[in-house]
Amino acid sequence: MSSSIALAPDQCRRARLARDARFDGRFFVAVVTTGIYCRPICPAKAPLERNVRYFDTAFAAAEAGFRPCLRCRPDSAPGSPAWRGTDTTLRRALRLIDEGALTDGNMTQLAERLGIGERHLRGLFQRRFGVSPKSYALHRQCLFAKQLLHETQLPITEIAFASGFSSVRRFNDTFHSRIGLSPREVRRQLKTHDTPGIELKLSYRPPYAWKTLRDFYAQRSIEGLEWVGDNYLGRHFQWGNASGKFTAYFDEPGPNNEPGQRNGCHAMRVELTLDDLRQLAPIVANIRRILDLDADPEVIATAIEPAIERSATDGLAKPSLVSGLRLPGIWSPFEARIRAILGQQVSIVAARRLTQTLVNTLGEPASDGGRYFPTPSAIAQDDLAFLGMPQRRRQTLKDLATAIMNERDSESISGIGPWTRDYARLRGDSDPDVWLPGDAGVKRALRQLPSVDPESATPWRSYLLLQLWNLDHEHQVR
């Protein structure tokens, strides 16, 4: 029996019986005889099909009265772009909620940020999920709290505030009503943690082109702000009034892409320090974004491959694509725009040198000797003469910083053209459908593959763009 599911029931049945990690997070399996819902990779004995119901979200399974499995932990499954749908406003609303928009604010404020009425916002969620935005937000808070209970030694009181609740009593009541167990009951069923501090496992669907992503970051890393090694990358960050740093570690899958982690889960291990735990949930969501952990490689490939396959019919060799390519995100849209402006009409090396100078000069020092990326205020209030670049471009940097600081529109600022805006969307917003027709690397790649049709790759043109950059050996994108 299927319920609220976009995939065909037979497809779900085959995926769960094979414990196929490519479908992890794309649907969930609820078992009517136990009242529990699981990920399709759950290592428990597979239930009979007549006892199974399928849901496309953990949220839908919970709303139907099922509680999450403590073994496969649906709270740690990667997100699914598919169930978010194609409505741009809804997708933005989900992202803002994940970043804490309904934890720190209310429905009216969220609707204003989206540029729609509150009634329209409620209608979007009612039509897609059958519940209100606030109900969705509470469920996300509980799942994040459950992950912290499983994976950290944080006291339950700190977990309550880290997951966005204003009181422990409210946290306990809401968690029990939505998860089916109290926070203490979840903790009692777990083994003692050996690792102090905050260390989380962030799941993804295989394959994951780690080396390609790592090399992209390594070419552009800023000393003191970022660090990159063979199997890790990380950075210092600020989020509102909070400051911290993280390092994400990638464990190579074994033969046949088998995961190195238990229970069939492909996950990055993330070590994180933070001076304000109330900001932990949106920060973890942002780490997932910049590492593109919620991408669905199989779905993306079905759009990308047809877009370039006509090159073979033109007598050209079909190019070798990178499997599991991910969008290399930047910590914030503001930082992405600043780095894009610094990279206008110069090489990667020159752009990196300018960014390093900016960070060294205006970035606030971190307690460990590193630095944070400069704030809008720091850039707006400086003449930036130390950058040694044209005054017009320095003014563009100052104008952008001033607009962001004053919460004004920055789209029409002089000196920010289509390439800069779109490149910033690609990396600062992780927009999956950015296309840069005027980019030099894209033009060189298209001369070799004249039949490539970018429109057919919609809504995943950003990934097609990255594939073309990888094919262009002279590529010098900023």
Side-chain angles (χ1 to χ4, degrees):
M1 178 179 180
S2 66
S3 176
S4 185
I5 183 70
L7 296 170
D10 187 58
Q11 191 177 15
C12 294
R13 179 186 63 81
R14 293 196 305 269
R16 77 172 178 89
L17 292 177
R19 295 185 172 89
D20 192 333
R22 295 174 301 172
F23 290 85
D24 190 14
R26 290 183 62 189
F27 71 93
F28 294 84
V29 183
V31 185
V32 296
T33 51
T34 63
I36 291 173
Y37 70 93
C38 303
R39 298 156 72 177
I41 62 168
C42 186
K45 182 179 178 180
L48 297 175
E49 188 68 16
R50 65 172 178 267
N51 295 326
V52 163
R53 296 179 67 189
Y54 297 115
F55 295 89
D56 62 355
T57 68
F59 179 73
E63 287 295 301
F66 296 92
R67 59 185 176 86
C69 174
L70 291 178
R71 190 169 180 183
C72 69
R73 294 185 43 218
D75 54 279
S76 62
S80 174
W83 64 258
R84 291 173 179 259
T86 57
D87 188 297
T88 303
T89 301
L90 177 60
R91 292 175 65 177
R92 186 168 173 237
L94 292 171
R95 176 174 167 181
L96 290 174
I97 290 173
D98 288 346
E99 293 177 353
L102 291 182
T103 301
D104 302 325
N106 55 39
M107 282 282 294
T108 301
Q109 293 168 326
L110 175 58
E112 288 177 352
R113 292 179 67 180
L114 294 168
I116 61 176
E118 189 173 337
R119 182 177 179 181
H120 183 194
L121 175 60
R122 292 181 183 277
L124 287 175
F125 277 78
Q126 193 65 41
R127 288 189 296 273
R128 184 64 187 89
F129 304 115
V131 296
S132 70
K134 186 61 178 177
S135 183
Y136 168 86
L138 285 173
H139 182 74
R140 296 286 291 180
Q141 288 174 244
C142 288
L143 288 185
F144 184 66
K146 185 171 176 290
Q147 181 179 12
L148 296 179
L149 288 167
H150 279 282
E151 299 182 10
T152 75
Q153 295 187 70
L154 291 173
I156 289 177
T157 298
E158 292 186 12
I159 288 176
F161 294 116
S163 52
F165 290 91
S166 58
S167 73
V168 176
R169 180 177 180 179
R170 169 69 167 157
F171 167 60
N172 286 328
D173 291 345
T174 305
F175 189 92
H176 189 275
S177 67
R178 291 180 176 271
I179 302 301
L181 296 169
S182 71
R184 294 190 183 280
E185 287 175 317
V186 172
R187 266 280 164 87
R188 278 200 296 267
Q189 297 185 42
L190 304 176
K191 296 180 180 179
T192 302
H193 301 280
D194 298 324
T195 305
I198 303 175
E199 181 177 304
L200 300 173
K201 290 184 175 63
L202 304 185
S203 298
Y204 64 86
R205 296 178 195 82
Y208 192 102
W210 164 254
K211 292 180 179 178
T212 303
L213 184 77
R214 176 202 65 196
D215 292 347
F216 189 99
Y217 279 117
Q219 283 186 297
R220 298 157 178 81
S221 65
I222 304 303
E223 185 178 353
L225 174 70
E226 302 160 318
W227 45 92
V228 182
D230 287 346
N231 73 323
Y232 65 86
L233 61 83
R235 64 167 290 149
H236 291 100
F237 61 81
Q238 292 177 311
W239 186 277
N241 294 322
S243 300
K245 64 179 180 179
F246 80 88
T247 303
Y249 295 89
F250 179 80
D251 296 321
E252 286 284 356
N256 301 318
N257 204 37
E258 294 175 358
Q261 292 75 27
R262 296 175 57 196
N263 297 345
C265 175
H266 294 74
M268 289 234 189
R269 177 170 57 89
V270 175
E271 295 178 355
L272 186 144
T273 60
L274 182 63
D275 61 8
D276 184 356
L277 284 178
R278 291 173 299 179
Q279 303 301 320
L280 182 59
I283 284 169
V284 170
N286 204 45
I287 293 172
R288 292 197 65 88
R289 178 190 65 80
I290 66 174
L291 297 175
D292 204 9
L293 297 180
D294 293 323
D296 191 328
E298 185 175 71
V299 170
I300 294 168
T302 60
I304 299 301
E305 291 177 3
I308 65 170
E309 67 183 4
R310 277 192 289 174
S311 61
T313 64
D314 292 339
L316 301 172
K318 185 175 180 179
S320 177
L321 301 182
V322 177
S323 181
L325 198 63
R326 307 293 168 131
L327 301 181
I330 289 179
W331 185 256
S332 72
F334 170 69
E335 181 180 336
R337 291 186 179 97
I338 293 292
R339 293 176 78 154
I341 294 168
L342 292 172
Q344 289 174 347
Q345 301 176 2
V346 298
S347 68
I348 292 176
V349 174
R352 183 181 185 181
R353 184 171 60 249
L354 286 169
T355 307
Q356 184 75 64
T357 301
L358 181 72
V359 171
N360 290 347
T361 307
L362 298 181
E364 296 178 15
S367 59
D368 61 0
R371 287 191 177 273
Y372 302 106
F373 194 81
T375 63
S377 176
I379 293 175
Q381 296 173 14
D382 197 282
D383 63 10
L384 307 181
F386 60 86
L387 288 175
M389 60 194 303
Q391 194 277 335
R392 180 61 261 174
R393 194 164 298 170
R394 284 187 278 127
Q395 189 60 47
T396 298
L397 293 170
K398 289 171 59 65
D399 290 345
L400 171 64
T402 301
I404 297 299
M405 188 172 59
N406 296 324
E407 298 183 354
R408 296 202 311 263
D409 176 52
S410 61
E411 291 299 308
S412 59
I413 290 175
S414 176
I416 299 181
W419 185 92
T420 302
R421 285 195 297 270
D422 289 341
Y423 182 76
R425 281 197 301 117
L426 172 73
R427 301 201 60 202
D429 296 314
S430 297
D431 188 327
D433 199 32
V434 171
W435 182 247
L436 302 175
D439 181 81
V442 170
K443 288 181 177 179
R444 283 193 296 268
L446 290 179
R447 283 199 291 268
Q448 303 173 44
L449 302 168
S451 296
V452 169
D453 177 17
E455 293 305 317
S456 67
T458 302
W460 311 111
R461 289 181 296 174
S462 295
Y463 296 90
L464 175 61
L465 180 69
L466 291 183
Q467 294 287 3
L468 294 178
W469 281 348
N470 281 315
L471 295 173
D472 172 40
H473 299 298
E474 300 179 42
H475 176 54
Q476 291 291 299
V477 67
R478 270 61 67 189

